[in-house]
Amino acid sequence: MAGGAAPSTAYGCGLAAELRAARMVWQREMLHFLRDRIGTLVSLLQSLMSLFILGVGMGGLFAGSGVGSASDYLTFLFPGVLVLAAQPATVAVGASIVWDREDGFLREMLVAPVHRATLLIGRCLGGMTVATCQGLVILAGAGLLHIPYRPGIFGLLTAELALTSLTLTVLATTIAVFVRRPRTLTAVLGVLMAPLLFLSGTMFPISALPGWLSLLSRLDPLTYAVDAMRRTVGVDRLVHGRAMLTAPVTWGGLRPAPPVELAVVAAFTMIALVVAARRFSRLG
Amino acid sequence: MTEGEGVVETGRMRRPEPDAPRRYQDVPAIRATGLHKSYPDVDAVRGVDLTVEQGETFGLLGPNGAGKSTIIAMLCTLAVPTAGRIEVAGHDARTAPGRVRRSLGIVFQESTLDGELTAAENLRFHADLYALPRAGLAARIEAMLDLAGLAARRDHLVRTFSGGMRRRLEIARGLLHRPRVLFLDEPTIGLDPQARDRLWAHLREVRERETTTLFLTTHYLDEAERCDRVAIVDEGRIVARGAPAELKSALAADRIDLRTGDDVAAAAALRERFGIEAVAGPRGLRVQAENGASLVPRLCSGLDVPVHEVTVTRPSLDEVFLHHTGRHIRDEPGGGH
């Protein structure tokens, strides 16, 4: 027997072992994130660009049409930019399953004596953490958009951002476990993420959409996440122009309260996670 | 469930009962009976029985597509057999896949390391996946890094490692949780000859330091010869099995091809000085010898005629395979070196 005080054949088992494995998978995502400084910087720049270029450009257009001020639009856009900031990391972590398969590392995890769902959950929580960190950088600049620095608002926004990040990671992961080839996955994710973001009211109010599209946007979980964040920010109070920007998401005449909206997002996430875990369990 | 299982089961024990290893020895490391694996379009494995004893080095030989990978996948619980039964260290793969996985260390053909993690982190990841007890874990990781000869590189990212270093690290990782059986799928594929020799020296050391059964697949006969027992697989069946010496009786020797300035004189010299009968061909002389590579220097210095080119071809699985099946191995990958 090699190596000093040998730990013998005693193994931890049950829940503690699963938690430890999940934590390690999570930690691995953190290490990747911390080591990929350029990648982090680039996606940060990307979200800053979308805030300023999109925000200023669209804000100007918005102001020019006489509906409200450019700063109204920026305030409106802010929660959407948080999601935009988080989105690349979620997709990257979700898609990394396919890369791990290419590298072979996935097999190291697949033959391990832990539940496959554990591996998946650890990874999704990793994606959530990374994406939330990216979003937090943008969130820190909220004051520039006259959003008051109140701990309640920021705590709630962070939680909502985390939930949204988790949803996006789970979604990307679900797609990734069904697709084998990285190139196919990139294409599929690209095609899927664009409508998901555009229809969610990230960049313009969904009340601007025609009936059938606004119906689709009501099927988009991000719609509820973004709307809940907007109400947390207090768009109703901060935006003084006409009501279009502050028009809420409605089901018929019904206006779901933010907790209900977040519950919808959470339920969607759970369903996607179960689908992904079932598929992942069958991978050989 | 076997007797020895109690040691694993109680979980919290720091140290196995002293007589546990002896009791384990009664159980084969691997016992597979009547293994079948059918896919919609192909029967990959068609009735394989295998018994691998504790502590032995067992080699599985066969061409690509013979069913080797499928057999390994089933033994590792990555694939479910269509029919048949697998026990690893007494654990049934169907009813106790978790126990089977803990009893196995696996070194896949392709690298399964995370290049963006350091050597130590890769081992740490493995330890957490297998829920190894934290007490003594750091020492165990250092011991395995040391075994791999990578103690000095413990904090280097794995993507900076050479093929041989990666393979040694994977072996170290496979051993970290003290498996009953270490699987090595084509462990020397993609390595240059020196790295292959180093790896085999390393495997010998592994066998001495860790009391592990080695189960490996290979294309190369000289590698198969380092095993205690060998089974040859073709078309999903085992066509021959036994100790290498038994199989060796059917083997051809190394083949040496010589291009010389004067083939006739060279052939005569070979006959007189070395007692070797050379066959003249369109591209020069062909000679059969037991250990071709070590003969070459003596040949070159012992011949008066200028030698332009020497090629040594190691006996391939092809020849044994030919002997047992009457056919050549189809598309042997990386063949010829």
Side-chain angles (χ1 to χ4, degrees), chain A:
Chain A
M1 291 279 151
S8 92
T9 45
Y11 293 110
C13 40
L15 188 63
E18 301 289 335
L19 283 176
R20 190 170 160 196
R23 207 202 59 155
M24 185 69 229
V25 176
W26 174 85
Q27 198 178 336
R28 174 173 173 253
E29 296 302 334
M30 293 303 111
L31 287 171
H32 284 178
F33 170 55
L34 294 174
R35 283 184 189 153
D36 184 20
R37 300 223 180 86
I38 294 176
T40 307
L41 202 68
V42 166
S43 54
L44 198 64
L45 280 176
Q46 198 186 347
S47 45
L48 283 174
M49 281 198 304
S50 54
L51 180 59
F52 286 105
I53 300 177
L54 191 73
V56 171
M58 295 276 279
L61 186 69
F62 186 76
S65 66
V67 203
S69 72
S71 90
D72 279 353
Y73 179 74
L74 276 174
T75 310
F76 165 85
L77 184 66
F78 187 68
V81 173
L82 289 182
V83 175
L84 285 180
Q87 186 257 349
T90 65
V91 169
V93 171
S96 67
I97 284 195
V98 172
W99 291 110
D100 276 351
R101 189 202 295 277
E102 290 279 297
D103 295 346
F105 189 78
L106 190 67
R107 299 195 92 177
E108 155 78 353
M109 296 203 266
L110 292 184
V111 295
V114 289
H115 284 110
R116 299 277 173 88
T118 301
L119 301 172
L120 220 56
I121 290 168
R123 191 185 281 266
C124 289
L125 291 178
M128 178 186 92
T129 314
V130 172
T132 307
C133 289
Q134 303 256 24
L136 281 179
V137 178
I138 303 291
L139 189 58
L144 299 174
L145 300 168
H146 316 297
I147 296 163
Y149 282 111
R150 260 190 247 131
I153 291 181
F154 275 74
L156 200 55
L157 269 180
T158 307
E160 286 164 342
L161 178 64
L163 177 66
T164 313
S165 302
L166 182 65
T167 307
L168 283 169
T169 314
V170 168
L171 202 64
T173 304
T174 308
I175 296 160
V177 294
F178 281 94
V179 178
R180 269 186 181 255
R181 258 173 295 174
R183 214 167 0 147
T184 316
L185 182 67
T186 313
V188 172
L189 282 175
V191 163
L192 240 99
M193 282 295 162
L196 215 58
L197 285 172
F198 285 127
L199 286 175
S200 68
T202 317
M203 293 161 227
F204 49 83
I206 59 167
S207 53
L209 293 169
W212 63 279
L213 268 179
S214 78
L215 195 71
L216 273 183
S217 80
R218 281 179 179 81
L219 296 175
D220 181 349
L222 285 187
T223 304
Y224 303 100
V226 170
D227 192 56
M229 287 163 94
R230 221 158 251 158
R231 291 210 238 167
T232 306
V233 166
V235 168
D236 306 29
R237 276 174 287 110
L238 295 171
V239 172
H240 305 295
R242 264 199 277 160
M244 194 177 198
L245 286 182
T246 56
V249 177
T250 54
W251 291 329
L254 206 69
R255 178 178 182 178
V260 176
E261 291 183 305
L262 295 176
V264 168
V265 179
F268 177 90
T269 310
M270 279 309 294
I271 293 167
L273 189 62
V274 168
V275 171
R278 288 183 65 140
R279 167 77 183 186
F280 193 56
S281 301
R282 280 198 292 269
L283 288 186

Side-chain angles (χ1 to χ4, degrees), chain B residues 63-65 219 328-335:
Chain B
N64 263 14
H219 280 95
H328 285 278
I329 294 173
R330 297 130 301 186
D331 64 301
E332 183 186 11

Side-chain angles (χ1 to χ4, degrees), chain B residues 117-196:
Chain B
L117 299 185
T118 66
E121 282 166 351
N122 267 285
L123 295 188
R124 171 67 71 170
F125 186 95
H126 188 82
D128 281 352
L129 276 187
Y130 284 73
L132 300 192
R134 290 176 207 273
L137 180 58
R140 177 70 181 162
I141 287 177
E142 294 314 313
M144 288 298 99
L145 284 170
D146 182 53
L147 179 67
L150 292 169
R153 310 279 304 246
R154 69 188 299 283
D155 295 323
H156 290 229
L157 291 186
V158 167
R159 74 173 142 84
T160 64
F161 286 12
S162 71
M165 290 162 73
R166 278 168 171 259
R167 207 56 59 89
R168 292 203 304 278
L169 182 59
E170 285 193 85
I171 292 169
R173 186 180 66 181
L175 290 167
L176 189 66
H177 58 288
R178 300 180 186 284
R180 298 270 146 208
V181 187
L182 181 66
F183 278 94
L184 298 148
D185 194 4
E186 301 280 359
T188 59
I189 213 161
L191 298 185
D192 61 51
Q194 286 144 329
R196 286 169 58 155

